[in-house]
Amino acid sequence: MADSSDEFDPESPEEREVAGEAAGDRTDFLSLMGHAYRGELGRTTAWRTRIDRTTNWAVVLTASLLTWAFSGDSRPHYILLLGVVMVTVFLGIETRRYRVYDIWRSRVRILEENVFANVLDSEGVEQSNWRELLSDDLREPAVKTPIVEAASRRLQRVYFALLSVLLGAWLVRLTVFTGTPAGLIETAAVGRVPGLVVSVAVGLYYAAVVVLTFWPHNRQAKGELQSQPDAEEWR
């Protein structure tokens, strides 16, 4: 029978701080970083898939509404405005998912920039305090992308094009019923809501979308894919 003094005690100081010993051993540390990288990359991939799923819903909805709205003269024009509302809802869902995805993406980028890139070409780390940054984020995960900036990114990638197509199709659908500017405004009415009110609301909405899409114009997301002017070495 084994001596009770040799039994594993998870509450002992030595066992509680067992991972801290790896910080001073290069082999153990690099091994742990490899496992950490695979774990964070798996999370990044899973949330990237969730973002793509929301995008697919928005694209399918837009295509279906366009097909239905122009399939007959009796189709109401406001169905396209309902499509705008639904796509905006998808944008809100995707913005939230993108902010969570960015938590794991930022960790992956820290490891790639400061560990793997330095292994391949030891020019030095990009961030001298990368271990402290990663440690703090593992202890207290935090969303790093403001909601306005996250919405702007998703608009630039997908949703600005979808909303522009829907609103453009709505204007074309209105012209099916009238050919004069005054009649166009009247035709935009939805139930008891006057056409002028609907037109102004749609115009203000689209103006807000344009501003949000291109704000701020000089922002560049860290770690996102960017085009490289000269990439002949990769041919």
Side-chain angles (χ1 to χ4, degrees):
M1 185 174 180
D3 189 354
S4 59
S5 61
D6 295 332
E7 292 182 358
F8 173 71
D9 182 9
E11 297 299 325
S12 66
E14 294 81 4
E15 297 301 336
R16 288 201 305 267
E17 302 296 334
V18 64
E21 298 177 1
D25 188 295
R26 291 185 178 182
T27 302
D28 290 346
F29 178 76
L30 290 176
S31 176
L32 285 175
M33 288 298 96
H35 291 297
Y37 178 75
R38 284 192 293 270
E40 299 301 333
L41 188 62
R43 286 176 166 179
T44 303
T45 303
W47 279 92
R48 177 72 254 186
T49 302
R50 297 189 70 182
I51 292 175
D52 292 339
R53 188 177 298 122
T54 311
T55 301
N56 292 339
W57 294 344
V59 171
V60 170
L61 174 66
T62 300
S64 301
L65 287 178
L66 290 175
T67 302
W68 188 85
F70 288 95
S71 62
D73 295 340
S74 61
R75 305 302 189 194
H77 68 86
Y78 56 79
I79 192 65
L80 294 172
L81 296 181
L82 291 177
V84 170
V85 173
M86 290 304 302
V87 170
T88 304
V89 171
F90 287 142
L91 171 62
I93 295 173
E94 190 161 316
T95 297
R96 179 182 60 82
R97 291 182 175 182
Y98 182 85
R99 298 180 75 203
V100 177
Y101 154 81
D102 193 62
I103 297 174
W104 322 125
R105 183 202 62 79
S106 63
R107 293 179 183 176
V108 169
R109 291 298 299 147
I110 285 179
L111 291 172
E112 289 177 344
E113 288 178 336
N114 298 284
V115 179
F116 299 105
N118 204 31
V119 168
L120 297 173
D121 188 4
S122 55
E123 294 183 352
V125 296
E126 294 291 330
Q127 298 161 292
S128 59
N129 62 334
W130 69 270
R131 293 177 63 168
E132 181 182 352
L133 291 174
L134 187 58
S135 174
D136 291 342
D137 196 61
L138 287 171
R139 286 189 170 94
E140 297 181 4
V143 174
K144 303 166 188 64
T145 307
I147 187 170
V148 173
E149 188 170 332
S152 177
R153 293 183 189 180
R154 300 320 301 160
L155 280 166
Q156 288 184 6
R157 297 297 185 273
V158 179
Y159 286 88
F160 180 72
L162 293 180
L163 291 171
S164 297
V165 168
L166 282 172
L167 291 174
W170 176 70
L171 292 175
V172 172
R173 191 72 183 86
L174 290 179
T175 61
V176 173
F177 299 99
T178 182
T180 62
L184 181 65
I185 298 298
E186 294 175 359
T187 308
V190 178
R192 295 184 178 181
V193 181
L196 180 60
V197 175
V198 175
S199 300
V200 170
V202 171
L204 292 175
Y205 171 83
Y206 190 68
V209 167
V210 171
V211 172
L212 184 58
T213 300
F214 299 102
W215 177 91
H217 66 281
N218 59 346
R219 172 185 49 78
Q220 179 176 327
K222 180 176 175 59
E224 288 197 348
L225 297 178
Q226 305 291 335
S227 61
Q228 185 175 354
D230 186 8
E232 294 182 358
E233 295 182 0
W234 286 91
R235 290 182 179 177

